[in-house]
Amino acid sequence: MTKSTSPQHASLADLVKGLGSGQFSSRELTDEYLASATDASHLNSFITLCPDEARAAADKADAERKRGAATHLLHGLPLAHKDIFCTAGVRTSCGSKMLENFIAPYDAAVVERLNAAGTIMLGKCNMDEFAMGSSNENSHFGPVLNPWDNTRVPGGSSGGSAAAVAAGLTPVATGTDTGGSIRQPASFCGVTGIKPTYGRVSRYGMIAFASSLDQGGVFARSADDAAKVLATMAGFDERDSTCAQQNTDALQQAAQQGLAVPKNSLTIGLPKEYFQDLNPALTQRLDEARSLLEAQGHTVVDVELPNTKFANPTYYVVAGAEASTNLSRYDGVRFGHRCDNPKDLQDLYTRSRTEGFGAEVKRRILTGTYALSVGYYDAYFLKAQKLRRLIQQDFLTAFDGGVDLLLAPVTPGPAFQLGNLTSDPVEMYQQDIFTVPASLAGLPAASIPCGFVDGLPIGMQLIAPHFEEVRLLELAHQYQTLTDWHQQQPPARTAGGNSQ
Amino acid sequence: MSDQPTEDLFRWGNWEPVIGVEVHVQLATNSKIFSNSPTSYGAEPNSQANVIDLGMPGVLPVLNEGAVRMAITFGLAIGAQLNRLSIFDRKNYFYPDLPKGYQISQFETPIVGAGELTFSMDDGSERTINITRAHLEEDAGKSVHDMFPGSSGIDLNRTGTPLLEVVSEPELCSPAEASAYFRALHGLVKSLRICDGNLNEGSMRCDCNVSIRPRGQQELGERTEIKNVNSFRFVERAIETEIARQIEVLEGGGNIRRETRLYDPDRDETRSMRGKELSDDYRYFPDPDLLPLVLDETMIEEMRSKLPELPIAKRARFVTNLGLSEYDADMLTRDPDVAAYFETAAQHAGDTKVAANWVNGDVAAALNRADLAVADSPVDAITLGALLQRISDGTVSGKIAKTLFEALWGTPTRTTDVSAALKRIDALIDERGLKQVSDSSELQGLVDQVLADNPDQVAQFRAGKEKVLGFFVGQIMKSTQGKANPGQLNGLLREALKP
């Protein structure tokens, strides 16, 4: 395929059209993306590439299309999964040495649904170990480089997915967001990333970090693309007790017909707490976005979310506590890393876990264990649970007060240099201050590219009431019809590797 | 609370034991509490553990509604307050047979709140014990330490089996009372059909908390917990020996240490459980993978309407409607299988008291000798009923019936058809010539003969020596191999002996 017809940065709608008209086959698309992924291996955005499986699946999809069995919108489209989603027969490492050789005998619900739709899995994307991190530097398989500047981080924990979409190695990729793990890397890599409402997407087969916060979502080149994939991922699953029995009709409609722009003018809230002492260049980008939306007839108002300042400590207590017990199953007994020649049971546990987990994972297990311990439970875990309710209430009050959506920064600034924050975990945790509140409240939230700061892409955050993903995506879509920030492509290569 | 106990509670001198028990009741669901793998006992190791039971990455628990229904049934049966909202918590500890590194249980908010259980002691006195709570939880797997030299095996078949842990108040005041409570609970859960009650398969396991204090003291002494006792007798023995041990320690100037102990039935002693694998801090917290369990009023009412007759109501009915003694009724209602066996047999026997005597007597003794459960009795309830019918209609005497019972026991059958059972018994009677001689002309002939043969004894009787009657009866029984109808024979003899 020649450069001019390259689908690499095409929209899903165009890819769907191209497949439907026979302009290219699923196999050709798949080969194209596999080639780009191999080419861009310096980014380290994939932990596992699946060329053989992908080509076989693409051939099967092409055959199905020939006999008229390509009924699903996404049929024959390549994509990539964050390596946190279990894939039957293909290694699922979760970015950890602990699961370096783990092959699940089952698919995650998300994978199952996207497979059933006829999508082609190109591979498994790099990530911070067990989704703990904001820079992708905590991966056992090495850091992912930001396609816009290879000396910078792509964000985390879904850094591989964000970088792969930004670099055109896949049209879309799945991710997970516990405290910002979709939104922050989407902002850093200049792509559209949405974390749906907690309970929208089944967590079955998605390796748990913090069960009450983890939520699967998607990276795409636009809100419209994201809607198409999210509609297939979403929906009730009886295997996940926390999955919502909420209908997905509006999402399905948006996926089939393409996103509309909001029918009515919306009231958009700017949470004051998010803008205090904010990076001036970023403030300016957000002001520009605000003016553009106002020019479309939307009303922008200031709102207060007074408990915002408690969000980060609350998050790190809750997420750590849940993680500390979610990760107990990695004990070297049944699967995962097992130390050599354990001399007794205690030794088996200690060495398997010491060797299998990285520093950040250990740190969170320790803090989480502490927060749940007798004598500290009330002061930490219980208090955090109470604060979580207050933070949730802040949002509900704002929405009840007539605000339709919130607009806020995603990150304090653009992508930072690799290695810059690794020595100071608390400083690293500060990366999450704007994303964590919506996670604690279980709200749908997205990062939408809104310009550049210091030559690097940056996103704005849209936060919607529970299950109002379509409202959020429609506003994002309207914004994306007026801007082309989401269509900006990183330079072909910024450092290292072979040239094209 | 209870009648004055007749057992000797003063045998511990100035010491008074305080006992509370926690019983793990394995619920009789077809599948596990959080996964759909089967719960049947005795399968190949690890053949009944799916990815959820194995705690594989990313898999999630989904609550089995059947277990919830059973817990509700239990709560209703003990008159408990059912918590409309209960919480599943994680109990965190590492052990190889605990795949997730935590057990899902209910800590602060159990599904069943306070209730009570009333039962009889062997001496007929009645007790009511308060039940603190009952909560749902998953069982762990099994570690096998004696099969592979140098290493341990793990069988996860039992992992995730639903348990209802029933916690009593510490108000049991003797080993016998604790054992009776355990037995009553066993009878109750079997009656409710929420547990198969197979003690030797571990379907009910009892943890006994035992402490002693000087009689009259309010404050409780330090307690120990004896884990996993699984028979009525062992509960009694384990507590008895633990009380004796604690008395010895305290009287020797020592202190009781809070600890977990195991009962060794072979040596009849408890000993401290070694190993530090059980940590004190389980870091309980609500399991974020499961929503709070909210009970639906419709479901509660449905379970209430399906409640079977409880053992205590059955006992009262046996006394009032069937005219049984308190003792017989209690014995028959301790195990619902025994009660059902009795009721079926009694229905055909024609005499409930005779049926009760047989079930509590000959049948119980034979089962005991053969170490069989009543459900596996070689003489099924219908056959027993048919046999007893042949007593009450005069075909055979009670004594002959015992001979027949033994013959029936030797060739086990199952029938639901009483006429078939009667036919079988009649054929046996004919075959062995055991039919009672009730023909009056035949009996008259025997009487005439025995009187003619024994003129001396006839004279003695007529002279007022009533006892000689027995001699004549004995002679005739001997010549008929016991088949003469004793009532009829007596009448004919007295008539013929009239001066």
Side-chain angles (χ1 to χ4, degrees), chain A residues 118-143:
Chain A
T119 63
I120 315 299
M121 181 176 78
L122 298 166
K124 309 286 299 281
C125 291
N126 204 343
M127 55 182 285
D128 280 305
E129 183 179 10
F130 285 101
M132 299 174 189
S134 310
S135 70
N136 220 305
E137 292 165 295
N138 298 333
S139 170
H140 170 63
F141 301 88

PDB file of all heavy atoms in Angstrom, chain A residues 118-143:
ATOM      1  N   GLY A 118     -15.599  -9.729  15.710  1.00  0.00           N
ATOM      2  CA  GLY A 118     -14.769  -9.982  14.531  1.00  0.00           C
ATOM      3  C   GLY A 118     -13.534  -9.100  14.454  1.00  0.00           C
ATOM      4  O   GLY A 118     -12.917  -8.988  13.391  1.00  0.00           O
ATOM      5  N   THR A 119     -13.135  -8.486  15.578  1.00  0.00           N
ATOM      6  CA  THR A 119     -11.924  -7.665  15.545  1.00  0.00           C
ATOM      7  C   THR A 119     -10.687  -8.565  15.562  1.00  0.00           C
ATOM      8  O   THR A 119     -10.752  -9.724  15.959  1.00  0.00           O
ATOM      9  CB  THR A 119     -11.846  -6.707  16.749  1.00  0.00           C
ATOM     10  OG1 THR A 119     -11.781  -7.482  17.946  1.00  0.00           O
ATOM     11  CG2 THR A 119     -13.069  -5.797  16.794  1.00  0.00           C
ATOM     12  N   ILE A 120      -9.586  -7.995  15.133  1.00  0.00           N
ATOM     13  CA  ILE A 120      -8.330  -8.733  15.014  1.00  0.00           C
ATOM     14  C   ILE A 120      -7.364  -8.216  16.077  1.00  0.00           C
ATOM     15  O   ILE A 120      -7.030  -7.026  16.082  1.00  0.00           O
ATOM     16  CB  ILE A 120      -7.666  -8.471  13.629  1.00  0.00           C
ATOM     17  CG1 ILE A 120      -8.702  -8.549  12.496  1.00  0.00           C
ATOM     18  CG2 ILE A 120      -6.469  -9.375  13.398  1.00  0.00           C
ATOM     19  CD1 ILE A 120      -9.397  -9.866  12.350  1.00  0.00           C
ATOM     20  N   MET A 121      -6.896  -9.081  16.950  1.00  0.00           N
ATOM     21  CA  MET A 121      -5.960  -8.622  17.972  1.00  0.00           C
ATOM     22  C   MET A 121      -4.534  -8.636  17.437  1.00  0.00           C
ATOM     23  O   MET A 121      -3.986  -9.680  17.112  1.00  0.00           O
ATOM     24  CB  MET A 121      -6.042  -9.490  19.226  1.00  0.00           C
ATOM     25  CG  MET A 121      -5.091  -9.005  20.315  1.00  0.00           C
ATOM     26  SD  MET A 121      -5.213  -9.910  21.862  1.00  0.00           S
ATOM     27  CE  MET A 121      -4.297 -11.383  21.459  1.00  0.00           C
ATOM     28  N   LEU A 122      -3.945  -7.434  17.365  1.00  0.00           N
ATOM     29  CA  LEU A 122      -2.574  -7.312  16.868  1.00  0.00           C
ATOM     30  C   LEU A 122      -1.565  -7.735  17.921  1.00  0.00           C
ATOM     31  O   LEU A 122      -0.501  -8.264  17.593  1.00  0.00           O
ATOM     32  CB  LEU A 122      -2.293  -5.864  16.460  1.00  0.00           C
ATOM     33  CG  LEU A 122      -3.153  -5.295  15.331  1.00  0.00           C
ATOM     34  CD1 LEU A 122      -2.999  -3.775  15.268  1.00  0.00           C
ATOM     35  CD2 LEU A 122      -2.748  -5.922  14.001  1.00  0.00           C
ATOM     36  N   GLY A 123      -1.898  -7.453  19.171  1.00  0.00           N
ATOM     37  CA  GLY A 123      -0.955  -7.784  20.234  1.00  0.00           C
ATOM     38  C   GLY A 123      -1.402  -7.211  21.553  1.00  0.00           C
ATOM     39  O   GLY A 123      -2.506  -6.681  21.671  1.00  0.00           O
ATOM     40  N   LYS A 124      -0.505  -7.336  22.531  1.00  0.00           N
ATOM     41  CA  LYS A 124      -0.806  -6.917  23.895  1.00  0.00           C
ATOM     42  C   LYS A 124       0.108  -5.747  24.266  1.00  0.00           C
ATOM     43  O   LYS A 124       1.340  -5.833  24.128  1.00  0.00           O
ATOM     44  CB  LYS A 124      -0.575  -8.084  24.871  1.00  0.00           C
ATOM     45  CG  LYS A 124      -1.253  -9.390  24.477  1.00  0.00           C
ATOM     46  CD  LYS A 124      -2.778  -9.401  24.696  1.00  0.00           C
ATOM     47  CE  LYS A 124      -3.236  -9.211  26.107  1.00  0.00           C
ATOM     48  NZ  LYS A 124      -3.137 -10.412  26.951  1.00  0.00           N
ATOM     49  N   CYS A 125      -0.502  -4.653  24.739  1.00  0.00           N
ATOM     50  CA  CYS A 125       0.241  -3.418  24.959  1.00  0.00           C
ATOM     51  C   CYS A 125       0.917  -3.349  26.316  1.00  0.00           C
ATOM     52  O   CYS A 125       0.397  -3.823  27.322  1.00  0.00           O
ATOM     53  CB  CYS A 125      -0.698  -2.224  24.802  1.00  0.00           C
ATOM     54  SG  CYS A 125      -1.214  -2.007  23.099  1.00  0.00           S
ATOM     55  N   ASN A 126       2.048  -2.708  26.291  1.00  0.00           N
ATOM     56  CA  ASN A 126       2.857  -2.498  27.488  1.00  0.00           C
ATOM     57  C   ASN A 126       2.101  -1.637  28.498  1.00  0.00           C
ATOM     58  O   ASN A 126       1.191  -0.875  28.147  1.00  0.00           O
ATOM     59  CB  ASN A 126       4.162  -1.814  27.092  1.00  0.00           C
ATOM     60  CG  ASN A 126       5.279  -2.064  28.091  1.00  0.00           C
ATOM     61  OD1 ASN A 126       5.036  -2.479  29.226  1.00  0.00           O
ATOM     62  ND2 ASN A 126       6.511  -1.799  27.679  1.00  0.00           N
ATOM     63  N   MET A 127       2.505  -1.750  29.729  1.00  0.00           N
ATOM     64  CA  MET A 127       1.789  -1.063  30.812  1.00  0.00           C
ATOM     65  C   MET A 127       2.648  -1.061  32.064  1.00  0.00           C
ATOM     66  O   MET A 127       3.573  -1.850  32.188  1.00  0.00           O
ATOM     67  CB  MET A 127       0.488  -1.810  31.115  1.00  0.00           C
ATOM     68  CG  MET A 127       0.707  -3.292  31.447  1.00  0.00           C
ATOM     69  SD  MET A 127      -0.835  -4.202  31.762  1.00  0.00           S
ATOM     70  CE  MET A 127      -1.234  -3.580  33.389  1.00  0.00           C
ATOM     71  N   ASP A 128       2.302  -0.183  32.995  1.00  0.00           N
ATOM     72  CA  ASP A 128       2.950  -0.246  34.303  1.00  0.00           C
ATOM     73  C   ASP A 128       2.532  -1.544  34.975  1.00  0.00           C
ATOM     74  O   ASP A 128       1.394  -2.001  34.834  1.00  0.00           O
ATOM     75  CB  ASP A 128       2.507   0.935  35.171  1.00  0.00           C
ATOM     76  CG  ASP A 128       3.250   2.214  34.825  1.00  0.00           C
ATOM     77  OD1 ASP A 128       4.489   2.202  34.854  1.00  0.00           O
ATOM     78  OD2 ASP A 128       2.570   3.221  34.524  1.00  0.00           O
ATOM     79  N   GLU A 129       3.446  -2.136  35.728  1.00  0.00           N
ATOM     80  CA  GLU A 129       3.192  -3.413  36.371  1.00  0.00           C
ATOM     81  C   GLU A 129       1.903  -3.365  37.193  1.00  0.00           C
ATOM     82  O   GLU A 129       1.731  -2.495  38.054  1.00  0.00           O
ATOM     83  CB  GLU A 129       4.380  -3.771  37.273  1.00  0.00           C
ATOM     84  CG  GLU A 129       4.208  -5.136  37.922  1.00  0.00           C
ATOM     85  CD  GLU A 129       5.374  -5.536  38.807  1.00  0.00           C
ATOM     86  OE1 GLU A 129       6.255  -4.685  39.077  1.00  0.00           O
ATOM     87  OE2 GLU A 129       5.397  -6.701  39.241  1.00  0.00           O
ATOM     88  N   PHE A 130       1.002  -4.299  36.893  1.00  0.00           N
ATOM     89  CA  PHE A 130      -0.299  -4.372  37.568  1.00  0.00           C
ATOM     90  C   PHE A 130      -1.043  -3.033  37.540  1.00  0.00           C
ATOM     91  O   PHE A 130      -1.822  -2.724  38.425  1.00  0.00           O
ATOM     92  CB  PHE A 130      -0.178  -4.916  38.998  1.00  0.00           C
ATOM     93  CG  PHE A 130       0.052  -6.401  39.021  1.00  0.00           C
ATOM     94  CD1 PHE A 130       1.323  -6.915  39.225  1.00  0.00           C
ATOM     95  CD2 PHE A 130      -0.988  -7.287  38.803  1.00  0.00           C
ATOM     96  CE1 PHE A 130       1.555  -8.284  39.213  1.00  0.00           C
ATOM     97  CE2 PHE A 130      -0.773  -8.665  38.786  1.00  0.00           C
ATOM     98  CZ  PHE A 130       0.498  -9.169  38.992  1.00  0.00           C
ATOM     99  N   ALA A 131      -0.765  -2.241  36.517  1.00  0.00           N
ATOM    100  CA  ALA A 131      -1.449  -0.955  36.292  1.00  0.00           C
ATOM    101  C   ALA A 131      -1.118   0.087  37.353  1.00  0.00           C
ATOM    102  O   ALA A 131      -1.840   1.053  37.540  1.00  0.00           O
ATOM    103  CB  ALA A 131      -2.970  -1.142  36.186  1.00  0.00           C
ATOM    104  N   MET A 132       0.020  -0.127  38.054  1.00  0.00           N
ATOM    105  CA  MET A 132       0.402   0.811  39.098  1.00  0.00           C
ATOM    106  C   MET A 132       1.499   1.721  38.582  1.00  0.00           C
ATOM    107  O   MET A 132       2.667   1.331  38.520  1.00  0.00           O
ATOM    108  CB  MET A 132       0.874   0.056  40.338  1.00  0.00           C
ATOM    109  CG  MET A 132      -0.216  -0.819  40.923  1.00  0.00           C
ATOM    110  SD  MET A 132       0.424  -1.817  42.274  1.00  0.00           S
ATOM    111  CE  MET A 132      -0.972  -2.907  42.546  1.00  0.00           C
ATOM    112  N   GLY A 133       1.111   2.931  38.204  1.00  0.00           N
ATOM    113  CA  GLY A 133       2.110   3.877  37.743  1.00  0.00           C
ATOM    114  C   GLY A 133       1.494   4.911  36.843  1.00  0.00           C
ATOM    115  O   GLY A 133       0.377   4.748  36.328  1.00  0.00           O
ATOM    116  N   SER A 134       2.220   6.014  36.644  1.00  0.00           N
ATOM    117  CA  SER A 134       1.722   7.123  35.837  1.00  0.00           C
ATOM    118  C   SER A 134       2.725   7.487  34.755  1.00  0.00           C
ATOM    119  O   SER A 134       2.698   8.581  34.218  1.00  0.00           O
ATOM    120  CB  SER A 134       1.475   8.339  36.733  1.00  0.00           C
ATOM    121  OG  SER A 134       0.696   7.967  37.851  1.00  0.00           O
ATOM    122  N   SER A 135       3.636   6.550  34.452  1.00  0.00           N
ATOM    123  CA  SER A 135       4.656   6.880  33.461  1.00  0.00           C
ATOM    124  C   SER A 135       5.057   5.695  32.596  1.00  0.00           C
ATOM    125  O   SER A 135       5.848   5.850  31.684  1.00  0.00           O
ATOM    126  CB  SER A 135       5.901   7.401  34.181  1.00  0.00           C
ATOM    127  OG  SER A 135       6.524   6.343  34.890  1.00  0.00           O
ATOM    128  N   ASN A 136       4.512   4.520  32.898  1.00  0.00           N
ATOM    129  CA  ASN A 136       4.900   3.288  32.217  1.00  0.00           C
ATOM    130  C   ASN A 136       6.345   2.887  32.457  1.00  0.00           C
ATOM    131  O   ASN A 136       6.891   2.016  31.786  1.00  0.00           O
ATOM    132  CB  ASN A 136       4.641   3.376  30.703  1.00  0.00           C
ATOM    133  CG  ASN A 136       4.086   2.068  30.172  1.00  0.00           C
ATOM    134  OD1 ASN A 136       4.677   1.023  30.346  1.00  0.00           O
ATOM    135  ND2 ASN A 136       2.928   2.117  29.569  1.00  0.00           N
ATOM    136  N   GLU A 137       6.955   3.533  33.441  1.00  0.00           N
ATOM    137  CA  GLU A 137       8.338   3.146  33.766  1.00  0.00           C
ATOM    138  C   GLU A 137       8.375   1.969  34.723  1.00  0.00           C
ATOM    139  O   GLU A 137       9.439   1.430  35.008  1.00  0.00           O
ATOM    140  CB  GLU A 137       9.083   4.340  34.380  1.00  0.00           C
ATOM    141  CG  GLU A 137       9.319   5.455  33.362  1.00  0.00           C
ATOM    142  CD  GLU A 137       9.720   6.759  34.035  1.00  0.00           C
ATOM    143  OE1 GLU A 137       8.886   7.324  34.771  1.00  0.00           O
ATOM    144  OE2 GLU A 137      10.855   7.190  33.831  1.00  0.00           O
ATOM    145  N   ASN A 138       7.194   1.556  35.230  1.00  0.00           N
ATOM    146  CA  ASN A 138       7.157   0.438  36.169  1.00  0.00           C
ATOM    147  C   ASN A 138       6.911  -0.906  35.485  1.00  0.00           C
ATOM    148  O   ASN A 138       6.544  -1.861  36.131  1.00  0.00           O
ATOM    149  CB  ASN A 138       6.063   0.658  37.220  1.00  0.00           C
ATOM    150  CG  ASN A 138       6.325   1.892  38.056  1.00  0.00           C
ATOM    151  OD1 ASN A 138       7.474   2.296  38.228  1.00  0.00           O
ATOM    152  ND2 ASN A 138       5.264   2.500  38.572  1.00  0.00           N
ATOM    153  N   SER A 139       7.087  -0.947  34.164  1.00  0.00           N
ATOM    154  CA  SER A 139       6.875  -2.218  33.477  1.00  0.00           C
ATOM    155  C   SER A 139       8.112  -3.095  33.588  1.00  0.00           C
ATOM    156  O   SER A 139       9.231  -2.626  33.422  1.00  0.00           O
ATOM    157  CB  SER A 139       6.570  -1.967  32.002  1.00  0.00           C
ATOM    158  OG  SER A 139       6.597  -3.198  31.291  1.00  0.00           O
ATOM    159  N   HIS A 140       7.884  -4.384  33.843  1.00  0.00           N
ATOM    160  CA  HIS A 140       8.980  -5.335  33.852  1.00  0.00           C
ATOM    161  C   HIS A 140       9.613  -5.424  32.458  1.00  0.00           C
ATOM    162  O   HIS A 140      10.768  -5.821  32.311  1.00  0.00           O
ATOM    163  CB  HIS A 140       8.474  -6.708  34.288  1.00  0.00           C
ATOM    164  CG  HIS A 140       9.466  -7.819  34.120  1.00  0.00           C
ATOM    165  ND1 HIS A 140      10.664  -7.855  34.802  1.00  0.00           N
ATOM    166  CD2 HIS A 140       9.469  -8.916  33.313  1.00  0.00           C
ATOM    167  CE1 HIS A 140      11.339  -8.935  34.448  1.00  0.00           C
ATOM    168  NE2 HIS A 140      10.641  -9.595  33.546  1.00  0.00           N
ATOM    169  N   PHE A 141       8.847  -5.040  31.435  1.00  0.00           N
ATOM    170  CA  PHE A 141       9.320  -5.159  30.056  1.00  0.00           C
ATOM    171  C   PHE A 141       9.913  -3.850  29.540  1.00  0.00           C
ATOM    172  O   PHE A 141      10.051  -3.656  28.337  1.00  0.00           O
ATOM    173  CB  PHE A 141       8.169  -5.651  29.175  1.00  0.00           C
ATOM    174  CG  PHE A 141       7.639  -6.983  29.627  1.00  0.00           C
ATOM    175  CD1 PHE A 141       6.634  -7.069  30.581  1.00  0.00           C
ATOM    176  CD2 PHE A 141       8.196  -8.165  29.154  1.00  0.00           C
ATOM    177  CE1 PHE A 141       6.176  -8.301  31.038  1.00  0.00           C
ATOM    178  CE2 PHE A 141       7.744  -9.402  29.606  1.00  0.00           C
ATOM    179  CZ  PHE A 141       6.727  -9.469  30.555  1.00  0.00           C
ATOM    180  N   GLY A 142      10.219  -2.967  30.463  1.00  0.00           N
ATOM    181  CA  GLY A 142      10.867  -1.714  30.088  1.00  0.00           C
ATOM    182  C   GLY A 142       9.853  -0.628  29.804  1.00  0.00           C
ATOM    183  O   GLY A 142       8.684  -0.901  29.538  1.00  0.00           O
ATOM    184  N   PRO A 143      10.303   0.635  29.855  1.00  0.00           N
ATOM    185  CA  PRO A 143       9.380   1.744  29.662  1.00  0.00           C
ATOM    186  C   PRO A 143       8.923   1.862  28.212  1.00  0.00           C
ATOM    187  O   PRO A 143       9.586   1.386  27.301  1.00  0.00           O
ATOM    188  CB  PRO A 143      10.195   2.981  30.066  1.00  0.00           C
ATOM    189  CG  PRO A 143      11.617   2.568  29.901  1.00  0.00           C
ATOM    190  CD  PRO A 143      11.675   1.086  30.148  1.00  0.00           C
TER     191      PRO A 143
END
